[in-house]
């Protein structure tokens, strides 16, 4: 029994009920148990094949035994059948009946550029972008979550004889590079066997570059992937690169092509912005007077990112260490000229280009197909604009729609967009690599590629029914949501994806109930189901204040299993609750 004090005068008592099977579950049990009170293993198998789409199940007897053992603790071997309550328990248990699979199932033998890759931004920061500590702890957390691209900003220390990791020109406290490298080595493959890419934002002199090359070589040894030639025509596959570490940064030779250090210094003082952001202001041209454009809100030195500036004076550059250059598996570079020229596909050279989120949005207006064509062989990395001082994030779908492999996110933050990133990379067993949809890789007879602006017909329709939720009474205090009564839960269900597919719906509010039974169905016509994510949130209605958050999840539509499924919910940071879950039905029409 739960007690709630009201006006200190009397108490309202609410029975702590158990979740009961919804009507659909009862009907299915009756149908497959052939009207009986118990369901045997063969009957359960028919249900799993016909309703759940689990055609690989040839014998359901082990499942029956596991359910009985879990539900009754001491297995009742005198009974090898399920009651309605056992059947409901099976369906409502995410361990037995998850909404997506947990195994790598996509082709992992295509070139690395054919995959979306789980990518971190400023991976060493513990909090905000301006004053938080730098540490190897967030790097370890990201790797344990399945992140495959780690970014390190490397700078000389005050005596210029060692290398530190920090967010330059800010108040962030540094961490030693060697500490970060050792932690990467230790945790690189704790969540996935597929390659880890370290992107270096390099602000070093050539002698320190040589020192870094030595550190990297000694730390990773045989784990390190050395490219066979200076310019790879095509990247190896994730399968071929299992348990390997790749380095991606700007080759030292790029410094030789830089303008004089004085010109660069003046440019930095004037605009405090990168070439990518100049493209963002004016995607169709790259004019000299753009440095004077003060209308852009993101003109901040903190927006400088990989490939954006040259810290090396030209007279020093010829001594750049060749050993450092040899380490670089994925060449990044600051291209000259217009963005259209930067997006040209070179037949004998695969490379990486970085754009800020704003630059991508601007470029997508007039160069959408150029970006798609570029990303079929080359890497495109998108990074957050510099004014995201609080480590917030941006909408990742724009990058994915254009084939960008590395949509870099501040993993130390949290919020709706980070939930989408978590959702996308639950795909393919959570291995950190998701094969890009065929439409992004196809080339037509006229050398034409997918145009993200094209209006497409509905390709698939997803129907989702939200039956019931449970678990809050186990994971939260009785007074967490309301001091005086049980919570008033409602669910929000919708789609994140291409603009034509995006929508959010809401269930009715179920008042005074820890186990809300909504039994509401929603239909989602999808034009690009390959990039669609099912968004589910639960909130507790509060008449006088902002509604309380009660859990969320984001799931890739392409991975959803049909049938009645138990959907676990997560907190704001993307950590799974112990008990909170929803019972939902998923159908594709």
């Amino acid at each position: 029994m739960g007690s709630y004090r009201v006006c200190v005068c009397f108490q309202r008592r609410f029975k702590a009920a158990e979740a009961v099977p919804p009507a659909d579950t009862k009907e299915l049990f009756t149908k497959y148990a052939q009207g009986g009170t118990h369901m045997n293993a063969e009957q359960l198998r028919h249900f799993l094949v016909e309703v759940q789409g689990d055609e690989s199940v040839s014998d359901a007897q082990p499942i029956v035994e596991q359910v009985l053992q879990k539900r009754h603790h001491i297995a009742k071997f005198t009974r090898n059948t399920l009651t309605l309550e056992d059947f409901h328990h099976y369906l409502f248990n995410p361990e037995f009946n998850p909404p997506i699979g947990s195994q790598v199932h996509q082709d992992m033998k295509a070139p690395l550029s054919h995959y979306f890759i789980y990518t971190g931004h400023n991976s060493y920061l513990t909090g905000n972008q301006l004053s938080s500590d730098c540490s190897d702890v967030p790097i370890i957390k990201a790797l344990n979550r399945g992140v495959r691209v780690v970014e390190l900003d490397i700078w000389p220390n005050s005596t210029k004889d060692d290398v530190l990791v920090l967010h330059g020109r800010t108040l962030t406290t540094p961490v030693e590079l060697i500490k970060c490298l050792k932690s990467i080595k230790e945790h690189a493959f704790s969540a996935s066997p597929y390659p880890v890419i370290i992107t270096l934002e390099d602000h070093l002199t050539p002698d320190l570059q040589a020192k870094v090359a030595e550190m990297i070589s000694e730390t990773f040894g045989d784990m390190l992937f050395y490219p066979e030639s200076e310019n790879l025509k095509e990247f190896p596959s994730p399968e071929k690169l299992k348990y390997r570490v790749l380095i991606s940064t700007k080759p030292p030779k790029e410094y030789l092509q830089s303008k004089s250090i004085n010109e660069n210094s003046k440019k930095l003082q004037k605009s405090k912005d990168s070439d990518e952001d100049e493209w963002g202001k004016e995607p169709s041209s790259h004019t000299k007077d753009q440095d004077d454009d003060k209308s852009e809100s993101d003109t901040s030195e903190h927006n400088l990112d990989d490939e954006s500036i040259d810290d090396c004076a030209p007279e020093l550059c010829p001594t750049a260490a060749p050993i450092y250059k040899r380490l670089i598996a994925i060449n990044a570079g600051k291209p000259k000229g217009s963005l259209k020229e930067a997006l040209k596909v070179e037949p004998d050279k695969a490379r990486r280009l970085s754009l800020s989120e704003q630059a991508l949005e601007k470029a997508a207006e007039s160069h959408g197909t150029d970006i798609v064509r570029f990303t079929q062989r080359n890497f495109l990395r998108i990074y957050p604009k510099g004014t995201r001082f609080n480590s917030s994030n941006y909408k990742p779908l724009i990058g994915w729609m254009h084939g960008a492999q590395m949509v870099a996110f501040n993993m130390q933050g949290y919020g709706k967009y980070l939930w989408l990133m978590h959702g996308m990379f639950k795909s393919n067993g959570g291995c950190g690599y998701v094969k890009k949809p065929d439409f992004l890789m196809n080339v037509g007879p006229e050398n034409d590629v997918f145009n993200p602006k094209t209006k497409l017909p509905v390709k698939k329709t997803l129907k989702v029914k939200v039956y019931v939720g449970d678990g809050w009474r186990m994971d939260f205090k009785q007074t967490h949501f309301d001091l005086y009564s049980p919570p008033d839960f409602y669910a929000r269900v919708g789609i994140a994806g291409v603009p034509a597919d995006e929508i959010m719906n809401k269930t009715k509010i179920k008042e005074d109930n820890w186990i809300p039974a909504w039994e509401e169905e929603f239909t989602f016509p999808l034009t690009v189901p390959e990039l669609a994510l099912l968004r589910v949130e639960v909130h507790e209605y509060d008449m006088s204040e902002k509604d309380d958050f009660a859990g969320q999840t984001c799931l890739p539509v392409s991975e959803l299993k049909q049938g009645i499924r138990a959907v676990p919910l997560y907190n704001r940071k993307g950590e799974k609750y112990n008990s909170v879950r929803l019972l939902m039905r998923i159908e594709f029409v």
Side-chain angles (χ1 to χ4, degrees), residues 119-122 149 151 153 199 201 248 276 305-307 352-357 360 374-375 378-384 394 404-408:
T119 302
H121 175 256
N122 289 350
V149 183
E151 183 189 27
D153 291 15
T199 59
E201 186 178 318
S248 178
E276 288 78 22
D305 211 275
D306 190 335
E307 305 139 39
R352 173 168 71 81
L353 175 68
S354 283
L355 296 176
S356 72
E357 57 172 287
L360 174 69
F374 178 84
T375 57
N378 301 280
F379 283 106
L380 179 60
R381 175 177 166 271
I382 311 302
Y383 59 90
Y394 53 100
Q405 297 89 345
M406 299 180 181
V407 178

Side-chain angles (χ1 to χ4, degrees), residues 72-89:
H72 302 289
H73 303 296
I74 300 170
K76 298 182 178 179
F77 293 108
T78 55
R79 172 163 70 82
N80 280 316
T81 55
L82 302 179
T83 63
L84 172 61
E85 287 70 27
D86 295 330
F87 180 63
H88 174 62
H89 176 82

Side-chain angles (χ1 to χ4, degrees), residues 528-543:
V528 186
E530 298 92 338
L531 295 180
L533 299 165
L534 176 65
R535 287 184 57 200
V536 182
E537 298 173 14
V538 176
H539 298 269
E540 198 269 339
Y541 174 72
D542 194 318
M543 188 184 298

